[in-house]
Amino acid sequence: MGVDLRQVVAGILTLAMFVMLGNMIKRDHFDSVEEKFPGSGRDTLENAKISKEGLSKKNSGPWKDDGQELKPCWSKPSEDVEQTEGYVLFSLTNGPEYHVSQIADAVVVARYLGATLVLPDIRGTKPGDERNFEEIYDVEKFISSLDGVVRVAKERPGKLSTRNLAAVKVPNRVTEDYIVEHVEPIYRSKGNIRLATYFPSVNMKRIERKSSSDSVACLAMFGTLELQPEINEVVDSMVERLRTLSRKSNGQFVAVDLRVEILEQNGCQGGDESGTKSCYNAQEVASFLRKVGFGKGTTIYLTESKWDSSLDALKDIFPKTYIKDGIIPADKKSKFLDSEGSEFEKIIDFYVCSQSDVFVPAISGLFYANVAGKRIASSKTQILVPTDISDSSASASNFITHYVSKKNHLAYSCLC
C-alpha cells in the first residue's frame, strides 16, 4: 500500500502546531514574576478594561492601587486682617520643587502684613533665564484661589523703586514669630519689601505645632498652582504616550528622578554615617527595581535631559527606558526642550513624576519631598526609596517612603 506524501506532511505540520500550542500554554502559566506583569495580554491599551483594583488583587506584582483619597482639611481664613498700602514682591527660582515653598512663604507673609502680593516672575538657574508667571502657571487660577486671603497685583506698580523697596530673607516655612521680629519692622519702615526664601534644610515633615497661618500655608502650597493650558497639554500627552508604551503593564509606568550631573557631585559619592545613601546611580536603580519585582517590560521615565552612557546600565535591564526627548510631541520639542533655559524641562519632570504610577527618587532633596507632597495630595502614594537589597525576594511595600508609611509629610497636615 503506497503512502501519500501530502498526508505525511500534513501530519507533521499538525503535530508541530500542537507542540507550539503546548509550549505557549506552559510559558503563559509558568513565566517568572520578573518577566510577567499584570495586564500582559495581547489586548491594546484601549481595549484593556481590567481595573487597577482587579489587577492588584489578582496579581502579586509590584503595582499597587492608589492610596485613600484625601481632601483639604483647611478652610479659607474667615477673619479679616488690617489692610496696608504696601506690596510684597518675590521671584520663583530654581525650579518647581522650590516654587511650591516660595509661594507658600510669600502668601503667609503678605497675609500677615495685610500687604498686596505682586505676581512673581520666574527665574531659572542660568543668567538671563527669566519668564513671566503666565508662561508656566495659570494666572487666573492663582488669583481666584487667593480671593479673600490676600490681594494680588498682576504687575509691579510703577511707583516702586529701589529706594522704597527693602530686600528681606525668610526661612522656608516661615513662622508668625519670625515675621513679627524680622520682617514687619522693615515693612513698616520701608513700606514695601522684596522677599527671598532660603532653605536651612530640606524639611517637609509634618509638625504637630499649630499656628493661625497653617490654613493659609496649606492653601498656598496645595491650592494655588496649576500649569497653564499649553504646558499642561504637553505633560498630559507625554504621560499618555508612556501609558501607551506600557500596554503589558496595563498602562502603568515608573518615573525615576535620576540626573547624572547631580550624581557626580561630592554629596552623592557615598553614604552617610548611618549607612544610608542619598543618591543612587543607574546600575543601582536597575538592581533595586529588578529585585522588588519589576520585569524587563516595565516602562521607565527618567528626569535626565540628555542621554548619558552611564544610563545604559539601566536600559540594558529595562529596554523601555525613556527621557523627555523620546516621548515629547515633535511639534513641541523646539519650544520646551531646545530653548536656552531649562525651566520648561524641570516643570515637565516635576509633573510627570507626580502623575506616574510609581515614583522612585534616586536623589534625595526638595524635588523628592515636594513631588511626594503632590503625589500624596492626589493619592498616588507608591513612592519607593531605593536601597541595597540582599534578599532577592524583597517586597516593594517594604521600601515605601517614610513620608507615606509614617504619614509624616507636611501634606498630611493639610489633607485628610
Side-chain angles (χ1 to χ4, degrees), residues 44-48 232-247 250-253 299 301 322 326-329 348 351-352 355-357:
T44 63
L45 183 61
E46 292 75 15
N47 293 331
N232 195 52
E233 289 175 6
V234 169
V235 171
D236 286 348
S237 174
M238 293 174 67
V239 169
E240 183 60 31
R241 174 63 176 156
L242 288 164
R243 297 204 183 285
T244 302
L245 291 165
S246 308
R247 287 190 294 267
N250 197 34
Q252 297 166 304
F253 70 96
T299 298
Y301 173 83
Y322 302 93
I327 58 172
I328 193 171
I348 288 171
Y351 282 85
V352 172
Q355 295 183 39
S356 64
D357 298 278

PDB file of all heavy atoms in Angstrom, residues 44-48 232-247 250-253 299 301 322 326-329 348 351-352 355-357:
ATOM      1  N   THR A  44      -4.944  45.705  23.300  1.00  0.00           N
ATOM      2  CA  THR A  44      -4.361  47.028  23.256  1.00  0.00           C
ATOM      3  C   THR A  44      -4.785  47.785  24.485  1.00  0.00           C
ATOM      4  O   THR A  44      -5.711  47.399  25.193  1.00  0.00           O
ATOM      5  CB  THR A  44      -4.858  47.789  22.013  1.00  0.00           C
ATOM      6  OG1 THR A  44      -6.280  47.952  22.134  1.00  0.00           O
ATOM      7  CG2 THR A  44      -4.537  47.038  20.738  1.00  0.00           C
ATOM      8  N   LEU A  45      -4.069  48.910  24.740  1.00  0.00           N
ATOM      9  CA  LEU A  45      -4.404  49.721  25.906  1.00  0.00           C
ATOM     10  C   LEU A  45      -5.848  50.181  25.849  1.00  0.00           C
ATOM     11  O   LEU A  45      -6.542  50.236  26.855  1.00  0.00           O
ATOM     12  CB  LEU A  45      -3.476  50.938  25.968  1.00  0.00           C
ATOM     13  CG  LEU A  45      -3.633  51.863  27.164  1.00  0.00           C
ATOM     14  CD1 LEU A  45      -3.349  51.106  28.456  1.00  0.00           C
ATOM     15  CD2 LEU A  45      -2.720  53.056  27.036  1.00  0.00           C
ATOM     16  N   GLU A  46      -6.328  50.492  24.662  1.00  0.00           N
ATOM     17  CA  GLU A  46      -7.689  50.977  24.530  1.00  0.00           C
ATOM     18  C   GLU A  46      -8.715  49.905  24.859  1.00  0.00           C
ATOM     19  O   GLU A  46      -9.826  50.189  25.308  1.00  0.00           O
ATOM     20  CB  GLU A  46      -7.938  51.483  23.101  1.00  0.00           C
ATOM     21  CG  GLU A  46      -7.154  52.749  22.738  1.00  0.00           C
ATOM     22  CD  GLU A  46      -5.688  52.483  22.489  1.00  0.00           C
ATOM     23  OE1 GLU A  46      -5.319  51.307  22.320  1.00  0.00           O
ATOM     24  OE2 GLU A  46      -4.919  53.454  22.474  1.00  0.00           O
ATOM     25  N   ASN A  47      -8.374  48.637  24.623  1.00  0.00           N
ATOM     26  CA  ASN A  47      -9.324  47.552  24.865  1.00  0.00           C
ATOM     27  C   ASN A  47      -9.188  46.946  26.251  1.00  0.00           C
ATOM     28  O   ASN A  47      -9.975  46.091  26.641  1.00  0.00           O
ATOM     29  CB  ASN A  47      -9.122  46.432  23.825  1.00  0.00           C
ATOM     30  CG  ASN A  47      -9.496  46.900  22.437  1.00  0.00           C
ATOM     31  OD1 ASN A  47     -10.345  47.761  22.290  1.00  0.00           O
ATOM     32  ND2 ASN A  47      -8.854  46.336  21.422  1.00  0.00           N
ATOM     33  N   ALA A  48      -8.152  47.358  27.006  1.00  0.00           N
ATOM     34  CA  ALA A  48      -7.951  46.764  28.323  1.00  0.00           C
ATOM     35  C   ALA A  48      -8.920  47.404  29.306  1.00  0.00           C
ATOM     36  O   ALA A  48      -8.808  48.565  29.632  1.00  0.00           O
ATOM     37  CB  ALA A  48      -6.520  46.995  28.791  1.00  0.00           C
ATOM     38  N   ASN A 232       0.326  72.114  30.288  1.00  0.00           N
ATOM     39  CA  ASN A 232      -0.475  71.021  30.829  1.00  0.00           C
ATOM     40  C   ASN A 232      -0.778  69.981  29.756  1.00  0.00           C
ATOM     41  O   ASN A 232      -0.727  68.767  30.008  1.00  0.00           O
ATOM     42  CB  ASN A 232      -1.777  71.576  31.411  1.00  0.00           C
ATOM     43  CG  ASN A 232      -2.480  70.576  32.311  1.00  0.00           C
ATOM     44  OD1 ASN A 232      -1.883  70.019  33.221  1.00  0.00           O
ATOM     45  ND2 ASN A 232      -3.744  70.325  32.033  1.00  0.00           N
ATOM     46  N   GLU A 233      -1.074  70.443  28.534  1.00  0.00           N
ATOM     47  CA  GLU A 233      -1.346  69.535  27.423  1.00  0.00           C
ATOM     48  C   GLU A 233      -0.104  68.732  27.049  1.00  0.00           C
ATOM     49  O   GLU A 233      -0.191  67.542  26.721  1.00  0.00           O
ATOM     50  CB  GLU A 233      -1.846  70.320  26.213  1.00  0.00           C
ATOM     51  CG  GLU A 233      -3.258  70.872  26.385  1.00  0.00           C
ATOM     52  CD  GLU A 233      -3.694  71.749  25.215  1.00  0.00           C
ATOM     53  OE1 GLU A 233      -2.925  71.817  24.217  1.00  0.00           O
ATOM     54  OE2 GLU A 233      -4.764  72.362  25.299  1.00  0.00           O
ATOM     55  N   VAL A 234       1.072  69.362  27.101  1.00  0.00           N
ATOM     56  CA  VAL A 234       2.315  68.659  26.794  1.00  0.00           C
ATOM     57  C   VAL A 234       2.566  67.556  27.816  1.00  0.00           C
ATOM     58  O   VAL A 234       2.896  66.412  27.464  1.00  0.00           O
ATOM     59  CB  VAL A 234       3.502  69.636  26.751  1.00  0.00           C
ATOM     60  CG1 VAL A 234       4.835  68.885  26.694  1.00  0.00           C
ATOM     61  CG2 VAL A 234       3.385  70.563  25.551  1.00  0.00           C
ATOM     62  N   VAL A 235       2.409  67.884  29.095  1.00  0.00           N
ATOM     63  CA  VAL A 235       2.606  66.886  30.150  1.00  0.00           C
ATOM     64  C   VAL A 235       1.609  65.746  29.987  1.00  0.00           C
ATOM     65  O   VAL A 235       1.981  64.563  30.049  1.00  0.00           O
ATOM     66  CB  VAL A 235       2.465  67.529  31.543  1.00  0.00           C
ATOM     67  CG1 VAL A 235       2.444  66.455  32.632  1.00  0.00           C
ATOM     68  CG2 VAL A 235       3.607  68.509  31.797  1.00  0.00           C
ATOM     69  N   ASP A 236       0.339  66.083  29.754  1.00  0.00           N
ATOM     70  CA  ASP A 236      -0.684  65.041  29.577  1.00  0.00           C
ATOM     71  C   ASP A 236      -0.367  64.149  28.381  1.00  0.00           C
ATOM     72  O   ASP A 236      -0.545  62.924  28.435  1.00  0.00           O
ATOM     73  CB  ASP A 236      -2.066  65.679  29.389  1.00  0.00           C
ATOM     74  CG  ASP A 236      -2.631  66.234  30.682  1.00  0.00           C
ATOM     75  OD1 ASP A 236      -2.080  65.930  31.758  1.00  0.00           O
ATOM     76  OD2 ASP A 236      -3.627  66.980  30.624  1.00  0.00           O
ATOM     77  N   SER A 237       0.125  64.754  27.304  1.00  0.00           N
ATOM     78  CA  SER A 237       0.470  63.985  26.109  1.00  0.00           C
ATOM     79  C   SER A 237       1.620  63.029  26.391  1.00  0.00           C
ATOM     80  O   SER A 237       1.610  61.875  25.936  1.00  0.00           O
ATOM     81  CB  SER A 237       0.844  64.941  24.969  1.00  0.00           C
ATOM     82  OG  SER A 237       1.305  64.230  23.842  1.00  0.00           O
ATOM     83  N   MET A 238       2.614  63.482  27.144  1.00  0.00           N
ATOM     84  CA  MET A 238       3.759  62.634  27.472  1.00  0.00           C
ATOM     85  C   MET A 238       3.350  61.489  28.395  1.00  0.00           C
ATOM     86  O   MET A 238       3.794  60.350  28.225  1.00  0.00           O
ATOM     87  CB  MET A 238       4.863  63.475  28.095  1.00  0.00           C
ATOM     88  CG  MET A 238       5.486  64.473  27.126  1.00  0.00           C
ATOM     89  SD  MET A 238       6.685  65.597  27.893  1.00  0.00           S
ATOM     90  CE  MET A 238       7.993  64.456  28.327  1.00  0.00           C
ATOM     91  N   VAL A 239       2.504  61.784  29.362  1.00  0.00           N
ATOM     92  CA  VAL A 239       2.015  60.734  30.259  1.00  0.00           C
ATOM     93  C   VAL A 239       1.211  59.704  29.478  1.00  0.00           C
ATOM     94  O   VAL A 239       1.369  58.488  29.668  1.00  0.00           O
ATOM     95  CB  VAL A 239       1.161  61.343  31.396  1.00  0.00           C
ATOM     96  CG1 VAL A 239       0.433  60.253  32.176  1.00  0.00           C
ATOM     97  CG2 VAL A 239       2.038  62.157  32.336  1.00  0.00           C
ATOM     98  N   GLU A 240       0.376  60.170  28.559  1.00  0.00           N
ATOM     99  CA  GLU A 240      -0.416  59.252  27.752  1.00  0.00           C
ATOM    100  C   GLU A 240       0.482  58.401  26.858  1.00  0.00           C
ATOM    101  O   GLU A 240       0.231  57.212  26.651  1.00  0.00           O
ATOM    102  CB  GLU A 240      -1.416  60.043  26.904  1.00  0.00           C
ATOM    103  CG  GLU A 240      -2.354  59.175  26.066  1.00  0.00           C
ATOM    104  CD  GLU A 240      -3.204  58.236  26.909  1.00  0.00           C
ATOM    105  OE1 GLU A 240      -3.538  58.592  28.050  1.00  0.00           O
ATOM    106  OE2 GLU A 240      -3.536  57.131  26.420  1.00  0.00           O
ATOM    107  N   ARG A 241       1.544  59.002  26.321  1.00  0.00           N
ATOM    108  CA  ARG A 241       2.496  58.264  25.500  1.00  0.00           C
ATOM    109  C   ARG A 241       3.160  57.157  26.317  1.00  0.00           C
ATOM    110  O   ARG A 241       3.308  56.014  25.859  1.00  0.00           O
ATOM    111  CB  ARG A 241       3.547  59.229  24.948  1.00  0.00           C
ATOM    112  CG  ARG A 241       4.694  58.572  24.193  1.00  0.00           C
ATOM    113  CD  ARG A 241       4.235  57.847  22.955  1.00  0.00           C
ATOM    114  NE  ARG A 241       5.353  57.313  22.203  1.00  0.00           N
ATOM    115  CZ  ARG A 241       5.271  56.289  21.373  1.00  0.00           C
ATOM    116  NH1 ARG A 241       4.109  55.682  21.176  1.00  0.00           N
ATOM    117  NH2 ARG A 241       6.331  55.881  20.716  1.00  0.00           N
ATOM    118  N   LEU A 242       3.561  57.472  27.537  1.00  0.00           N
ATOM    119  CA  LEU A 242       4.181  56.474  28.409  1.00  0.00           C
ATOM    120  C   LEU A 242       3.204  55.352  28.742  1.00  0.00           C
ATOM    121  O   LEU A 242       3.584  54.182  28.817  1.00  0.00           O
ATOM    122  CB  LEU A 242       4.668  57.149  29.695  1.00  0.00           C
ATOM    123  CG  LEU A 242       5.906  58.040  29.534  1.00  0.00           C
ATOM    124  CD1 LEU A 242       6.061  58.958  30.743  1.00  0.00           C
ATOM    125  CD2 LEU A 242       7.159  57.200  29.342  1.00  0.00           C
ATOM    126  N   ARG A 243       1.938  55.693  28.923  1.00  0.00           N
ATOM    127  CA  ARG A 243       0.933  54.663  29.212  1.00  0.00           C
ATOM    128  C   ARG A 243       0.700  53.774  27.988  1.00  0.00           C
ATOM    129  O   ARG A 243       0.503  52.564  28.111  1.00  0.00           O
ATOM    130  CB  ARG A 243      -0.373  55.309  29.661  1.00  0.00           C
ATOM    131  CG  ARG A 243      -0.236  56.092  30.964  1.00  0.00           C
ATOM    132  CD  ARG A 243      -1.548  56.234  31.694  1.00  0.00           C
ATOM    133  NE  ARG A 243      -1.400  57.056  32.898  1.00  0.00           N
ATOM    134  CZ  ARG A 243      -0.831  56.655  34.022  1.00  0.00           C
ATOM    135  NH1 ARG A 243      -0.339  55.429  34.102  1.00  0.00           N
ATOM    136  NH2 ARG A 243      -0.732  57.461  35.060  1.00  0.00           N
ATOM    137  N   THR A 244       0.736  54.366  26.813  1.00  0.00           N
ATOM    138  CA  THR A 244       0.576  53.577  25.586  1.00  0.00           C
ATOM    139  C   THR A 244       1.754  52.619  25.409  1.00  0.00           C
ATOM    140  O   THR A 244       1.582  51.487  24.946  1.00  0.00           O
ATOM    141  CB  THR A 244       0.471  54.514  24.362  1.00  0.00           C
ATOM    142  OG1 THR A 244      -0.630  55.401  24.540  1.00  0.00           O
ATOM    143  CG2 THR A 244       0.267  53.718  23.083  1.00  0.00           C
ATOM    144  N   LEU A 245       2.938  53.056  25.787  1.00  0.00           N
ATOM    145  CA  LEU A 245       4.123  52.197  25.700  1.00  0.00           C
ATOM    146  C   LEU A 245       4.119  51.104  26.765  1.00  0.00           C
ATOM    147  O   LEU A 245       4.949  50.198  26.725  1.00  0.00           O
ATOM    148  CB  LEU A 245       5.389  53.051  25.861  1.00  0.00           C
ATOM    149  CG  LEU A 245       5.701  54.010  24.709  1.00  0.00           C
ATOM    150  CD1 LEU A 245       6.741  55.038  25.145  1.00  0.00           C
ATOM    151  CD2 LEU A 245       6.193  53.232  23.493  1.00  0.00           C
ATOM    152  N   SER A 246       3.186  51.203  27.717  1.00  0.00           N
ATOM    153  CA  SER A 246       3.149  50.272  28.857  1.00  0.00           C
ATOM    154  C   SER A 246       1.983  49.305  28.768  1.00  0.00           C
ATOM    155  O   SER A 246       1.378  48.947  29.780  1.00  0.00           O
ATOM    156  CB  SER A 246       3.056  51.071  30.168  1.00  0.00           C
ATOM    157  OG  SER A 246       4.061  52.046  30.242  1.00  0.00           O
ATOM    158  N   ARG A 247       1.649  48.886  27.565  1.00  0.00           N
ATOM    159  CA  ARG A 247       0.478  48.011  27.394  1.00  0.00           C
ATOM    160  C   ARG A 247       0.602  46.726  28.209  1.00  0.00           C
ATOM    161  O   ARG A 247      -0.373  46.226  28.752  1.00  0.00           O
ATOM    162  CB  ARG A 247       0.287  47.670  25.914  1.00  0.00           C
ATOM    163  CG  ARG A 247      -0.243  48.822  25.083  1.00  0.00           C
ATOM    164  CD  ARG A 247      -0.631  48.368  23.691  1.00  0.00           C
ATOM    165  NE  ARG A 247       0.536  47.935  22.938  1.00  0.00           N
ATOM    166  CZ  ARG A 247       1.238  48.722  22.137  1.00  0.00           C
ATOM    167  NH1 ARG A 247       0.905  49.986  22.005  1.00  0.00           N
ATOM    168  NH2 ARG A 247       2.277  48.263  21.479  1.00  0.00           N
ATOM    169  N   ASN A 250      -0.597  47.176  31.764  1.00  0.00           N
ATOM    170  CA  ASN A 250      -1.899  47.841  31.858  1.00  0.00           C
ATOM    171  C   ASN A 250      -1.766  49.358  31.913  1.00  0.00           C
ATOM    172  O   ASN A 250      -2.500  50.043  32.622  1.00  0.00           O
ATOM    173  CB  ASN A 250      -2.673  47.343  33.087  1.00  0.00           C
ATOM    174  CG  ASN A 250      -4.162  47.670  32.993  1.00  0.00           C
ATOM    175  OD1 ASN A 250      -4.741  47.665  31.919  1.00  0.00           O
ATOM    176  ND2 ASN A 250      -4.766  47.952  34.121  1.00  0.00           N
ATOM    177  N   GLY A 251      -0.828  49.889  31.164  1.00  0.00           N
ATOM    178  CA  GLY A 251      -0.674  51.338  31.078  1.00  0.00           C
ATOM    179  C   GLY A 251       0.070  51.964  32.238  1.00  0.00           C
ATOM    180  O   GLY A 251       0.135  53.194  32.339  1.00  0.00           O
ATOM    181  N   GLN A 252       0.653  51.179  33.113  1.00  0.00           N
ATOM    182  CA  GLN A 252       1.351  51.716  34.283  1.00  0.00           C
ATOM    183  C   GLN A 252       2.840  51.895  33.985  1.00  0.00           C
ATOM    184  O   GLN A 252       3.440  51.076  33.292  1.00  0.00           O
ATOM    185  CB  GLN A 252       1.153  50.778  35.470  1.00  0.00           C
ATOM    186  CG  GLN A 252      -0.313  50.667  35.892  1.00  0.00           C
ATOM    187  CD  GLN A 252      -0.554  49.495  36.821  1.00  0.00           C
ATOM    188  OE1 GLN A 252      -0.233  48.355  36.485  1.00  0.00           O
ATOM    189  NE2 GLN A 252      -1.115  49.772  37.985  1.00  0.00           N
ATOM    190  N   PHE A 253       3.420  52.955  34.540  1.00  0.00           N
ATOM    191  CA  PHE A 253       4.843  53.195  34.313  1.00  0.00           C
ATOM    192  C   PHE A 253       5.495  53.748  35.572  1.00  0.00           C
ATOM    193  O   PHE A 253       4.831  54.215  36.501  1.00  0.00           O
ATOM    194  CB  PHE A 253       5.067  54.147  33.131  1.00  0.00           C
ATOM    195  CG  PHE A 253       4.657  55.585  33.375  1.00  0.00           C
ATOM    196  CD1 PHE A 253       5.594  56.530  33.770  1.00  0.00           C
ATOM    197  CD2 PHE A 253       3.340  55.994  33.190  1.00  0.00           C
ATOM    198  CE1 PHE A 253       5.226  57.854  33.997  1.00  0.00           C
ATOM    199  CE2 PHE A 253       2.957  57.314  33.411  1.00  0.00           C
ATOM    200  CZ  PHE A 253       3.909  58.252  33.805  1.00  0.00           C
ATOM    201  N   THR A 299       7.979  50.083  31.667  1.00  0.00           N
ATOM    202  CA  THR A 299       8.308  51.372  31.062  1.00  0.00           C
ATOM    203  C   THR A 299       8.801  52.322  32.149  1.00  0.00           C
ATOM    204  O   THR A 299       8.160  52.483  33.186  1.00  0.00           O
ATOM    205  CB  THR A 299       7.071  51.982  30.380  1.00  0.00           C
ATOM    206  OG1 THR A 299       6.638  51.106  29.338  1.00  0.00           O
ATOM    207  CG2 THR A 299       7.388  53.344  29.786  1.00  0.00           C
ATOM    208  N   TYR A 301      10.474  56.232  32.999  1.00  0.00           N
ATOM    209  CA  TYR A 301      10.755  57.613  32.590  1.00  0.00           C
ATOM    210  C   TYR A 301      11.848  58.171  33.489  1.00  0.00           C
ATOM    211  O   TYR A 301      11.779  58.078  34.716  1.00  0.00           O
ATOM    212  CB  TYR A 301       9.498  58.474  32.726  1.00  0.00           C
ATOM    213  CG  TYR A 301       9.734  59.952  32.486  1.00  0.00           C
ATOM    214  CD1 TYR A 301       9.763  60.468  31.195  1.00  0.00           C
ATOM    215  CD2 TYR A 301       9.927  60.831  33.552  1.00  0.00           C
ATOM    216  CE1 TYR A 301       9.982  61.818  30.966  1.00  0.00           C
ATOM    217  CE2 TYR A 301      10.157  62.182  33.340  1.00  0.00           C
ATOM    218  CZ  TYR A 301      10.179  62.674  32.049  1.00  0.00           C
ATOM    219  OH  TYR A 301      10.404  64.014  31.831  1.00  0.00           O
ATOM    220  N   TYR A 322      13.025  55.783  28.928  1.00  0.00           N
ATOM    221  CA  TYR A 322      12.926  56.964  28.077  1.00  0.00           C
ATOM    222  C   TYR A 322      13.276  58.229  28.848  1.00  0.00           C
ATOM    223  O   TYR A 322      13.080  58.323  30.056  1.00  0.00           O
ATOM    224  CB  TYR A 322      11.502  57.107  27.526  1.00  0.00           C
ATOM    225  CG  TYR A 322      11.029  55.909  26.737  1.00  0.00           C
ATOM    226  CD1 TYR A 322      10.322  54.885  27.371  1.00  0.00           C
ATOM    227  CD2 TYR A 322      11.294  55.792  25.382  1.00  0.00           C
ATOM    228  CE1 TYR A 322       9.886  53.775  26.665  1.00  0.00           C
ATOM    229  CE2 TYR A 322      10.869  54.684  24.663  1.00  0.00           C
ATOM    230  CZ  TYR A 322      10.169  53.675  25.311  1.00  0.00           C
ATOM    231  OH  TYR A 322       9.750  52.570  24.608  1.00  0.00           O
ATOM    232  N   GLY A 326      12.471  61.467  23.874  1.00  0.00           N
ATOM    233  CA  GLY A 326      11.875  60.356  23.143  1.00  0.00           C
ATOM    234  C   GLY A 326      10.363  60.302  23.170  1.00  0.00           C
ATOM    235  O   GLY A 326       9.763  59.544  22.405  1.00  0.00           O
ATOM    236  N   ILE A 327       9.723  61.111  24.035  1.00  0.00           N
ATOM    237  CA  ILE A 327       8.265  60.993  24.170  1.00  0.00           C
ATOM    238  C   ILE A 327       7.510  62.314  24.047  1.00  0.00           C
ATOM    239  O   ILE A 327       6.288  62.308  23.950  1.00  0.00           O
ATOM    240  CB  ILE A 327       7.884  60.338  25.513  1.00  0.00           C
ATOM    241  CG1 ILE A 327       8.451  61.143  26.678  1.00  0.00           C
ATOM    242  CG2 ILE A 327       8.354  58.896  25.565  1.00  0.00           C
ATOM    243  CD1 ILE A 327       7.957  60.669  28.029  1.00  0.00           C
ATOM    244  N   ILE A 328       8.214  63.441  24.012  1.00  0.00           N
ATOM    245  CA  ILE A 328       7.523  64.715  23.883  1.00  0.00           C
ATOM    246  C   ILE A 328       6.989  64.862  22.466  1.00  0.00           C
ATOM    247  O   ILE A 328       7.615  64.385  21.503  1.00  0.00           O
ATOM    248  CB  ILE A 328       8.473  65.889  24.230  1.00  0.00           C
ATOM    249  CG1 ILE A 328       7.690  67.188  24.414  1.00  0.00           C
ATOM    250  CG2 ILE A 328       9.545  66.047  23.169  1.00  0.00           C
ATOM    251  CD1 ILE A 328       8.520  68.329  24.970  1.00  0.00           C
ATOM    252  N   PRO A 329       5.808  65.468  22.270  1.00  0.00           N
ATOM    253  CA  PRO A 329       5.298  65.687  20.910  1.00  0.00           C
ATOM    254  C   PRO A 329       6.331  66.426  20.061  1.00  0.00           C
ATOM    255  O   PRO A 329       6.941  67.398  20.522  1.00  0.00           O
ATOM    256  CB  PRO A 329       4.041  66.536  21.138  1.00  0.00           C
ATOM    257  CG  PRO A 329       3.587  66.169  22.521  1.00  0.00           C
ATOM    258  CD  PRO A 329       4.848  65.923  23.297  1.00  0.00           C
ATOM    259  N   ILE A 348       8.281  69.930  33.346  1.00  0.00           N
ATOM    260  CA  ILE A 348       7.804  68.664  32.774  1.00  0.00           C
ATOM    261  C   ILE A 348       8.169  67.506  33.686  1.00  0.00           C
ATOM    262  O   ILE A 348       7.337  66.646  33.989  1.00  0.00           O
ATOM    263  CB  ILE A 348       8.397  68.473  31.363  1.00  0.00           C
ATOM    264  CG1 ILE A 348       7.738  69.452  30.380  1.00  0.00           C
ATOM    265  CG2 ILE A 348       8.207  67.028  30.889  1.00  0.00           C
ATOM    266  CD1 ILE A 348       8.404  69.493  29.016  1.00  0.00           C
ATOM    267  N   TYR A 351       5.991  67.356  36.960  1.00  0.00           N
ATOM    268  CA  TYR A 351       4.587  66.957  36.808  1.00  0.00           C
ATOM    269  C   TYR A 351       4.442  65.541  36.252  1.00  0.00           C
ATOM    270  O   TYR A 351       3.471  64.854  36.582  1.00  0.00           O
ATOM    271  CB  TYR A 351       3.836  67.993  35.972  1.00  0.00           C
ATOM    272  CG  TYR A 351       3.505  69.222  36.801  1.00  0.00           C
ATOM    273  CD1 TYR A 351       4.422  70.260  36.953  1.00  0.00           C
ATOM    274  CD2 TYR A 351       2.300  69.321  37.496  1.00  0.00           C
ATOM    275  CE1 TYR A 351       4.143  71.354  37.749  1.00  0.00           C
ATOM    276  CE2 TYR A 351       2.009  70.416  38.287  1.00  0.00           C
ATOM    277  CZ  TYR A 351       2.929  71.430  38.418  1.00  0.00           C
ATOM    278  OH  TYR A 351       2.653  72.519  39.225  1.00  0.00           O
ATOM    279  N   VAL A 352       5.363  65.064  35.432  1.00  0.00           N
ATOM    280  CA  VAL A 352       5.323  63.660  35.004  1.00  0.00           C
ATOM    281  C   VAL A 352       5.590  62.753  36.202  1.00  0.00           C
ATOM    282  O   VAL A 352       4.900  61.749  36.401  1.00  0.00           O
ATOM    283  CB  VAL A 352       6.335  63.383  33.872  1.00  0.00           C
ATOM    284  CG1 VAL A 352       6.421  61.881  33.592  1.00  0.00           C
ATOM    285  CG2 VAL A 352       5.928  64.121  32.597  1.00  0.00           C
ATOM    286  N   GLN A 355       2.595  62.290  38.322  1.00  0.00           N
ATOM    287  CA  GLN A 355       1.469  61.536  37.780  1.00  0.00           C
ATOM    288  C   GLN A 355       1.774  60.067  37.501  1.00  0.00           C
ATOM    289  O   GLN A 355       0.875  59.292  37.187  1.00  0.00           O
ATOM    290  CB  GLN A 355       0.987  62.194  36.478  1.00  0.00           C
ATOM    291  CG  GLN A 355       0.402  63.579  36.671  1.00  0.00           C
ATOM    292  CD  GLN A 355      -0.129  64.169  35.379  1.00  0.00           C
ATOM    293  OE1 GLN A 355      -0.717  63.470  34.550  1.00  0.00           O
ATOM    294  NE2 GLN A 355       0.084  65.460  35.181  1.00  0.00           N
ATOM    295  N   SER A 356       3.033  59.656  37.602  1.00  0.00           N
ATOM    296  CA  SER A 356       3.377  58.260  37.311  1.00  0.00           C
ATOM    297  C   SER A 356       2.734  57.326  38.334  1.00  0.00           C
ATOM    298  O   SER A 356       2.331  57.742  39.423  1.00  0.00           O
ATOM    299  CB  SER A 356       4.898  58.085  37.347  1.00  0.00           C
ATOM    300  OG  SER A 356       5.408  58.340  38.642  1.00  0.00           O
ATOM    301  N   ASP A 357       2.651  56.049  37.991  1.00  0.00           N
ATOM    302  CA  ASP A 357       2.069  55.067  38.911  1.00  0.00           C
ATOM    303  C   ASP A 357       3.009  54.765  40.059  1.00  0.00           C
ATOM    304  O   ASP A 357       2.577  54.502  41.180  1.00  0.00           O
ATOM    305  CB  ASP A 357       1.726  53.791  38.136  1.00  0.00           C
ATOM    306  CG  ASP A 357       0.699  54.068  37.054  1.00  0.00           C
ATOM    307  OD1 ASP A 357      -0.490  54.117  37.370  1.00  0.00           O
ATOM    308  OD2 ASP A 357       1.115  54.281  35.908  1.00  0.00           O
TER     309      ASP A 357
END
